[in-house]
Amino acid sequence: MKRLATVLIVVAVLLVVFVALGPFYILFEGEQAVVTRFGAIVSTSRDAGLKFKMPVIDTVTKYPKKILSWDGDAQRLPTAENQFIWVDATARWKIIDPTLFYESVTSVNQAFARLDEVIDSSIRTVIADNPLFEAVRNSNVINEIERSDVVRIAADTDEVQAEDIAAEETPAIIDTSKTYPEVAKGRNKLSEEMFEAARKVTPQYGIELIDIIIRQIRYSDDLTESVYNRMIAERNQKAQEFRSRGEGQKAFWLGKLDNEKRTILSRAYTEAETLKGNADREAAGIYADAYSADEEFAIFWRSLESYRNTMSKFNKTLTTDMEYFRYLYDQDG
């Protein structure tokens, strides 16, 4: 009995020691593990639960089984026209082969370093192969927008649209519409090309790349200034076109007003001359009637009127002994 008890005690002690050395490990949901012995892989586990390993000599390396995100640093990259832009991208990935992952990169931090190389390279290649407008735009909607530049000119209380005036009365209207280069791919398509280029490389690391998304694209400082200058130049050109159109409308209306002014003045002058002619005719008739009634008195009266109008303008009168002054001292002449 004592011998049996001793054996049982030894077995129990050995069992306690064995358990204390950790022959088991727990794999939670969303985890996967690689078990190595002296650096060599002996097994892998992808299902959650209580797992067995050889204590002391086996090492368990756990990796996440869920989807992970990659956030790279923004890169200053040249486009096909050698214009530099900043590209900020993000990606999603996961470990699909823990054995291959352990053999090629070993740790998650090393995986991020490899992804930096692979994804950054694909982004750089795609951006360099495409023009600037393919990277910054995603569609041709900007060319589908209907633009109408309407200039309204106020004339007294009436508003006249420049487009409604007859073409022969107005200067030619400048077409200010602008078209932009047609986008063949766009930013989303470029993201797909980056993804296709990178996902061909990642399987050798036991990684599945899910997608690459361009998070932000912005102009570099030197290109930003160039873009702003071009926008200012375009706006100034647009403003000048409106000014030119306004000057043309101004000249049109001033010319029209001048024509109307001349017409009114001509009509008024004609009416005035007609009235003067009628008045002169009536006055001549009255004078004729008056002269025929008493011709001698009429001559006397006209002589007095002449004296009144002319003698006040004489600075010096040397003599009045002349026919003109016959009624000056004698009413009978």
Side-chain angles (χ1 to χ4, degrees):
M1 284 295 291
K2 288 182 178 182
R3 187 174 181 180
L4 180 59
T6 302
V7 172
L8 292 176
I9 292 172
V10 172
V11 172
V13 170
L14 292 176
L15 184 60
V16 170
V17 172
F18 182 76
V19 173
L21 292 175
F24 302 102
Y25 67 95
I26 299 174
L27 203 60
F28 295 98
E29 289 291 340
E31 290 183 334
Q32 52 191 339
V34 174
V35 180
T36 59
R37 184 176 302 162
F38 305 115
I41 299 175
V42 294
S43 65
T44 59
S45 298
R46 295 178 55 84
D47 299 325
L50 184 64
K51 307 295 180 178
F52 176 79
K53 69 178 182 68
M54 293 297 293
V56 181
I57 61 175
D58 284 353
T59 302
V60 178
T61 304
K62 295 182 180 180
Y63 300 119
K65 195 164 60 173
K66 57 188 179 181
I67 295 175
L68 303 175
S69 65
W70 173 89
D71 291 314
D73 296 329
Q75 303 181 75
R76 184 174 180 268
L77 305 174
T79 63
E81 312 97 321
N82 203 31
Q83 294 180 336
F84 286 86
I85 57 176
W86 286 94
V87 181
D88 186 10
T90 185
R92 295 183 300 168
W93 63 284
K94 64 180 180 178
I95 302 170
I96 58 172
D97 189 341
T99 301
L100 187 57
F101 184 84
Y102 179 85
E103 292 175 345
S104 57
V105 295
T106 307
S107 67
V108 174
N109 289 336
Q110 287 291 332
F112 277 115
R114 294 292 177 86
L115 287 174
D116 287 343
E117 297 175 0
V118 173
I119 297 177
D120 287 348
S121 176
S122 66
I123 293 174
R124 187 180 304 106
T125 301
V126 172
I127 293 296
D129 289 342
N130 290 276
L132 177 64
F133 62 86
E134 293 283 2
V136 299
R137 287 167 52 199
N138 200 38
S139 68
N140 292 306
V141 174
I142 190 171
N143 287 332
E144 298 172 2
I145 299 175
E146 295 183 2
R147 299 176 180 84
S148 58
D149 299 325
V150 178
V151 178
R152 303 184 69 85
I153 304 173
D156 296 333
T157 57
D158 298 329
E159 288 188 345
V160 182
Q161 257 191 340
E163 285 79 359
D164 296 337
I165 302 173
E168 63 272 8
E169 298 178 347
T170 60
I173 295 178
I174 302 171
D175 184 11
T176 58
S177 60
K178 178 178 178 59
T179 57
Y180 297 87
E182 290 288 330
V183 172
K185 298 178 180 179
R187 189 161 53 191
N188 289 345
K189 182 64 176 179
L190 296 188
S191 297
E192 294 177 4
E193 291 183 1
M194 297 172 189
F195 168 68
E196 291 297 329
R199 79 184 186 98
K200 297 177 181 178
V201 180
T202 55
Q204 62 180 312
Y205 304 123
I207 295 173
E208 178 186 359
L209 193 62
I210 298 174
D211 57 20
I212 297 177
I213 298 174
I214 298 177
R215 185 162 47 192
Q216 183 187 45
I217 290 181
R218 58 186 176 87
Y219 298 122
S220 61
D221 293 340
D222 52 346
L223 184 57
T224 299
E225 183 177 359
S226 173
V227 171
Y228 285 163
N229 290 337
R230 186 169 66 251
M231 292 172 63
I232 292 172
E234 290 177 357
R235 293 298 94 190
N236 286 338
Q237 181 183 6
K238 189 95 168 178
Q240 186 59 42
E241 290 170 352
F242 277 111
R243 291 191 192 100
S244 299
R245 185 185 303 177
E247 290 295 329
Q249 295 299 323
K250 175 184 175 182
F252 165 74
W253 286 111
L254 288 178
K256 189 173 183 179
L257 290 175
D258 190 54
N259 289 335
E260 291 179 356
K261 175 184 174 182
R262 287 197 294 267
T263 301
I264 293 172
L265 290 176
S266 177
R267 188 183 303 119
Y269 179 78
T270 301
E271 292 177 0
E273 292 299 317
T274 301
L275 292 175
K276 287 181 181 180
N278 293 335
D280 290 340
R281 185 176 64 253
E282 292 180 6
I286 293 173
Y287 286 142
D289 292 342
Y291 292 159
S292 61
D294 191 342
E295 183 177 355
E296 185 177 349
F297 178 77
I299 295 173
F300 172 72
W301 178 259
R302 294 191 63 176
S303 296
L304 293 181
E305 288 293 323
S306 177
Y307 295 157
R308 180 186 302 158
N309 294 328
T310 60
M311 293 187 67
S312 61
K313 300 178 182 178
F314 292 168
N315 294 327
K316 183 186 294 185
T317 304
L318 299 178
T319 181
T320 59
D321 187 15
M322 56 188 306
E323 180 66 20
Y324 177 73
F325 295 106
R326 69 182 183 275
Y327 289 108
L328 186 61
Y329 299 108
D330 186 357
Q331 64 179 359
D332 294 331

